[in-house]
Amino acid sequence: MAAKSQSNDPKTKSPGSVTFSKAATQGQWGRACCSLTAPLADIATGRARLSDIWAKTPPVTTKAAQIYVAWVTFQVLLYMLLPDICHKFLPGYVGGVQEGAMTPAGIVHKYEINGLQAWLITHLLWFVNSYLLACFSPTVIFDNWIPLLWCANILGYAVSTFAMIKGYFFPTDARDCKFTGSFFYNYMMGIEFNPRIGKWFDFKLFFNGRPGIIAWTLINLSFAAKQRELYGHVTNSMVLVNVLQAIYVLDFFWNETWYLKTIDICHDHFGWYLGWGDCVWLPYLYTLQGLYLVYHPVQLPTRYSLGVLLLGLLGYYIFRMANHQKDLFRRTDGRCLIWGRKPKVIECSFTSADEQKHRSKLLVSGFWGVARHFNYTGDLMGSLAYCLACGGGHLLPYFYIIYMAILLTHRCLRDEHRCANKYGRDWERYTAAVPYRLLPGIF
Ligand code: NDP
């Protein structure tokens, strides 16, 4: 089994055949060589039992619990107590108190948009600690990775369960609750649309952004620090993963106000899918590339790494511009220029739950004339770049692109089903004008 074949010798060999320091190996059964198949094969062939895996799984530790509680508390304080000041001096940044989209019950919530500020403060403190104060090691996240996973799960299940109870007994707004008759479905997909505590603590905005997305870049930094500790240097693949994902994360916080208009906030209810997903799935699976590179420190040829960088930046450009074009179009009610021209528009109408008729517009120019979800295509190109940065040695770091392809294809179909119901014949006119979803000529 993986753990038995490992050495505690801190010396390193050539990339790809590395032995690990004690810190890297302790209690890391089944993942020290990123092997998922070896433990399964051991169970299948009777060489190990599930109880053996359980016995070797690192338990939750007091240290991990302290780190996690301190981390979440710090993020809650940044979210609740520090009104945004970034929008006062950063040109073009929209922060502070902003309005979300209208909910199905016709409510427009206000949000304190201060995610960029929280990200900056958190990362500033991280660097001050790493280079000046040394209160804790920058490898702390990696070193407590599995014990922290327990803590993240406890929070993920606690918040999903709380959201369920709150939905039944004291919802923020009963008119925006959805009960399906299936207890399991209610738990998974959520009852409340925008659960809140008090006026400002919004579950969706907090859990997606703070324990989820702020953690993403910190985790990557911790993995880079671990690489340096183990091998004396950080590989170009690790730098690529850190840089490309940091651009994506920073983009999210720069555009946090825009995020209020995306499907997560506008259409999904808050249950296990978002609560557990933000606490566990996002920080643990979106960061698999960095984790893999700690164990397999790939040094990429310069041309290959430039190719990956270009793919990542092009994907990001398409993702950002497509989202920007729709946002601009909707904000100006079509009175804007897209690719230097007046945009082509499909006028449409829909009826809301209260039988009111509304008018809306669909953009047929720019990236929205190339394919109906070209923003997803850009996202997928960026996701592929993160995976390619890990070379071709193992399937594990490619989990992200496989997952994103499934997620965004499913999301695309889900969204189109909703739009077809909402706009009826007008949506058919749009699909006739722009026949492909993600890739012109293919899908
Ligand atoms: P979109 O931003 O694509 O929004 C879809 C909505 O936009 C539709 O429901 C419709 O809403 C409106 N719309 C659709 N077509 C048009 C058009 N031609 N003109 C104007 N409005 C239109 O979807 P998401 O919120 O899912 O995604 C936002 C971004 O977040 C994407 O770039 C995606 O890649 C990214 N993302 C990333 C994830 C990750 O885990 N990394 C997860 C999910 C998303 P309406 O009812 O208002 O008409």
Side-chain angles (χ1 to χ4, degrees):
M1 284 180 288
K4 286 184 182 153
S5 64
Q6 288 161 12
S7 156
N8 284 342
D9 180 356
K11 282 179 290 180
T12 61
K13 296 178 188 166
S14 61
S17 62
V18 186
T19 55
F20 294 93
S21 70
K22 190 163 186 233
T25 57
Q26 59 186 204
Q28 307 292 315
W29 191 89
R31 72 185 188 100
C33 57
C34 286
S35 174
L36 297 174
T37 47
L40 290 178
D42 284 344
I43 290 171
T45 54
R47 272 179 293 163
R49 282 170 302 170
L50 275 177
S51 55
D52 297 330
I53 296 186
W54 180 252
K56 287 180 178 166
T57 304
V60 64
T61 59
T62 312
K63 186 175 178 196
Q66 284 167 343
I67 295 170
Y68 200 73
V69 168
W71 155 249
V72 177
T73 309
F74 181 58
Q75 289 307 320
V76 171
L77 294 178
L78 288 180
Y79 180 61
M80 293 299 290
L81 300 185
L82 272 193
D84 185 71
I85 54 161
C86 288
H87 70 281
K88 297 195 174 149
F89 62 87
L90 285 176
Y93 171 66
V94 183
V97 177
Q98 298 292 330
E99 287 188 347
M102 188 182 288
T103 70
I107 301 157
V108 177
H109 288 289
K110 283 192 166 30
Y111 295 83
E112 174 68 43
I113 297 296
N114 59 2
L116 182 67
Q117 177 173 280
W119 188 90
L120 289 171
I121 293 173
T122 306
H123 285 72
L124 184 72
L125 290 177
W126 178 270
F127 281 107
V128 168
N129 173 69
S130 301
Y131 292 101
L132 294 173
L133 301 179
C135 296
F136 57 85
S137 164
T139 64
V140 66
I141 303 176
F142 177 91
D143 294 338
N144 293 279
W145 193 232
I146 299 298
L148 284 171
L149 176 60
W150 287 113
C151 303
N153 266 289
I154 292 169
L155 181 65
Y157 279 98
V159 77
S160 315
T161 308
F162 178 74
M164 172 90 168
I165 295 169
K166 184 172 170 330
Y168 274 110
F169 297 109
F170 48 104
T172 301
D173 200 306
R175 289 169 298 165
D176 270 325
C177 286
K178 187 174 77 178
F179 294 94
T180 61
S182 158
F183 183 84
F184 184 66
Y185 189 91
N186 290 347
Y187 184 75
M188 296 289 285
M189 301 309 290
I191 294 172
E192 277 201 84
F193 196 55
N194 292 114
R196 288 188 165 205
I197 293 179
K199 196 175 167 202
W200 293 106
F201 190 86
D202 184 88
F203 279 51
K204 277 187 187 169
L205 195 65
F206 176 77
F207 282 100
N208 188 48
R210 312 312 164 83
I213 300 187
I214 290 190
W216 190 349
T217 33
L218 281 188
I219 293 166
N220 278 346
L221 286 171
S222 185
F223 290 160
K226 193 69 197 180
Q227 238 199 14
R228 181 158 35 209
E229 183 187 288
L230 286 170
Y231 315 113
H233 69 283
V234 178
T235 60
N236 59 0
S237 50
M238 181 66 95
V239 173
L240 262 178
V241 167
N242 265 266
V243 168
L244 288 176
Q245 294 189 344
I247 292 173
Y248 193 74
V249 166
L250 259 175
D251 175 275
F252 173 86
F253 286 115
W254 184 269
N255 295 292
E256 201 178 10
T257 301
W258 155 83
Y259 173 70
L260 300 178
K261 308 278 160 73
T262 63
I263 291 176
D264 283 353
I265 299 264
C266 292
H267 306 307
D268 289 340
H269 289 242
F270 188 89
W272 179 88
Y273 173 75
L274 287 179
W276 182 86
D278 293 338
C279 292
V280 181
W281 186 266
L282 196 162
Y284 274 81
L285 292 173
Y286 284 25
T287 56
L288 267 183
Q289 293 87 29
L291 180 66
Y292 173 81
L293 291 172
V294 174
Y295 291 104
H296 300 268
V298 178
Q299 185 65 26
L300 300 167
T302 308
R303 274 196 194 173
Y304 180 92
S305 54
L306 281 177
V308 172
L309 180 66
L310 275 180
L311 176 69
L313 292 178
L314 180 64
Y316 170 70
Y317 174 78
I318 293 174
F319 160 84
R320 173 53 26 231
M321 287 314 294
N323 285 324
H324 169 72
Q325 285 175 351
K326 183 176 70 135
D327 187 41
L328 179 71
F329 173 78
R330 281 279 167 95
R331 262 191 295 119
T332 59
D333 195 28
R335 285 183 286 276
C336 60
L337 295 181
I338 302 287
W339 287 350
R341 294 200 186 143
K342 214 167 157 286
K344 281 194 214 149
V345 174
I346 288 184
E347 300 278 350
C348 42
S349 61
F350 64 95
T351 312
S352 55
D354 55 3
E355 301 294 318
Q356 295 285 318
K357 239 187 152 55
H358 304 268
R359 302 205 66 78
S360 187
K361 287 181 174 141
L362 292 168
L363 173 63
V364 195
S365 297
F367 286 118
W368 297 85
V370 177
R372 299 199 294 273
H373 286 278
F374 215 57
N375 51 346
Y376 292 179
T377 310
D379 208 346
L380 288 173
M381 288 166 69
S383 307
L384 180 62
Y386 312 156
C387 303
L388 288 172
C390 298
H394 206 289
L395 186 64
L396 190 71
Y398 287 79
F399 170 84
Y400 188 67
I401 179 64
I402 297 168
Y403 163 72
M404 283 297 282
I406 296 169
L407 175 92
L408 292 180
T409 309
H410 174 251
R411 206 175 170 94
C412 188
L413 299 175
R414 191 160 65 111
D415 185 51
E416 298 223 335
H417 179 69
R418 197 189 67 82
C419 288
N421 283 338
K422 181 175 176 183
Y423 296 123
R425 298 288 294 272
D426 296 329
W427 185 254
E428 283 172 24
R429 287 199 290 135
Y430 178 48
T431 57
V434 186
Y436 291 100
R437 294 181 176 104
L438 292 176
L439 275 182
I442 297 176
F443 176 66

